[in-house]
Amino acid sequence: MTCIQHKYYFYCINLSRRITAAIEKKRFVSSATATTIISNPKDLIFACETKCTRDNEVIKGTIPLGGMGIQVGQYAQIERCYTSDEVIQFGQLIGDLNPIHQDHNDAMELDPNKKQMVHGMLSGSLFSCIFGTLIPGSIYRTQSMIFQSPIYSNEKVMGVVIVKKVKNMKRRGTIVSCDTNVYKNFGEDTQGALGLEVKGENVIRCLSGEATVWIPFVENHIIDPTD
C-alpha cells in the first residue's frame, strides 16, 4: 500500500465513522447536499438533490446509509428521465459525437424508432449514483454491462441494485457484489416489487450486469454466512 493509498484508507474509515454517528442521531447530510430524517435506516427513503435543474430524485430501498449493516438481499433503486440536452452534453463531455445521440433531426435518419438515443454508459451511471450517494467513500472495482434495449431521451427509467454477496475484509473494508439492472415501461403495479425482479406486461430490461464495490470499514455490518 502506497503512502497516498494509506492516507485515503484512513480518510474513508474516519468518514464512515462520522456517517455512522450521524445515522445514530437520526440525521444525515450527504455529499449531494441533501438532508433527511431517518427513523430506521433499514426502511430507507433518501432524498437526493442533484446539481442539475431537474426535480429532486429519490433513492428508495433497504441498503443502509453509510453501509452500516449492509447484507445480502438489500436493494436500492432510483428513477430518472434524461433530457435531450443532458444526452447532448454527456456526448460532448466524453467526445462521443455519434449523431444518434446528438439531436432528434439527425437521430431520425439513423434510428428505426426516429428518436434520440441515450448513451449506454450514461444509463449505467445510475448505479454509481446510488452507491456514491448512500455510501460516501465507496469505490467501484468492477462493473459489467449488457445493453439489451435502447433508452431514449425523455423516457423514464429505473436503476436497481441488489446485494448478492458481502465479503468482510475486516478493518480493510468490505467488498459488496451486486446485480445491477435498468428498466423502462414500468408502472405503479411494477413498482410494488421493490428490490425483486421487476416484472410486468410492458416492462423492458434495458441493461443488466454485475458490480463489485469496496466500501470503507464500518462497525456492526452483517457478514454473509456463506462466505
Side-chain angles (χ1 to χ4, degrees), residues 22-23 35 42 51 63 84 103 107 113 125 132 142 144-145 150 166 182 216 221:
I23 291 174
T35 306
K42 291 185 178 181
K51 294 182 179 179
I63 293 179
S84 175
D103 60 58
N113 292 306
S125 66
T142 66
S144 65
M145 288 187 283
V166 179
V182 176
H221 72 284

Side-chain angles (χ1 to χ4, degrees), residues 55-218:
D55 294 335
N56 285 354
E57 294 163 344
V58 177
I59 296 177
K60 299 179 181 179
T62 55
I63 293 179
L65 293 171
M68 183 182 66
I70 194 167
Q71 58 183 304
V72 173
Q74 293 177 336
Y75 71 95
Q77 68 177 49
I78 185 171
E79 296 177 13
R80 181 165 294 179
C81 182
Y82 294 106
T83 67
S84 175
D85 287 343
E86 289 171 338
V87 175
I88 293 173
Q89 289 169 6
F90 182 79
Q92 293 173 342
L93 178 65
I94 66 174
D96 182 353
L97 303 181
N98 188 333
I100 64 173
H101 301 306
Q102 294 308 302
D103 60 58
H104 295 289
N105 292 330
D106 289 337
M108 287 178 64
E109 300 298 325
L110 299 173
D111 184 79
N113 292 306
K114 311 300 183 185
K115 296 179 181 179
Q116 179 190 31
M117 192 181 300
V118 175
H119 301 77
M121 300 306 293
L122 179 56
S123 60
S125 66
L126 290 172
F127 312 131
S128 178
C129 170
I130 289 173
F131 277 105
T133 301
L134 295 181
I135 310 177
S138 59
I139 298 176
Y140 251 88
R141 295 188 58 169
T142 66
Q143 172 72 64
S144 65
M145 288 187 283
I146 300 175
F147 303 104
Q148 297 171 268
S149 182
I151 297 171
Y152 299 106
S153 59
N154 301 313
E155 190 171 45
K156 183 181 285 188
V157 295
M158 177 167 58
V160 182
V161 168
I162 305 176
V163 178
K164 291 299 182 180
K165 186 175 181 180
V166 179
K167 182 178 181 181
N168 178 30
M169 299 175 67
K170 298 183 178 180
R171 302 194 73 84
R172 292 182 296 160
T174 301
I175 299 295
V176 179
S177 301
C178 305
D179 282 347
T180 53
N181 295 280
V182 176
Y183 301 92
K184 68 178 182 180
N185 292 357
F186 54 90
E188 295 297 330
D189 56 335
T190 57
Q191 293 182 49
L194 299 178
L196 304 175
E197 182 77 8
V198 179
K199 297 179 179 179
E201 183 178 354
N202 299 316
V203 173
I204 298 176
R205 190 202 305 263
C206 303
L207 186 161
S208 62
E210 298 178 345
T212 56
V213 180
W214 176 85
I215 64 174
F217 167 76
V218 289

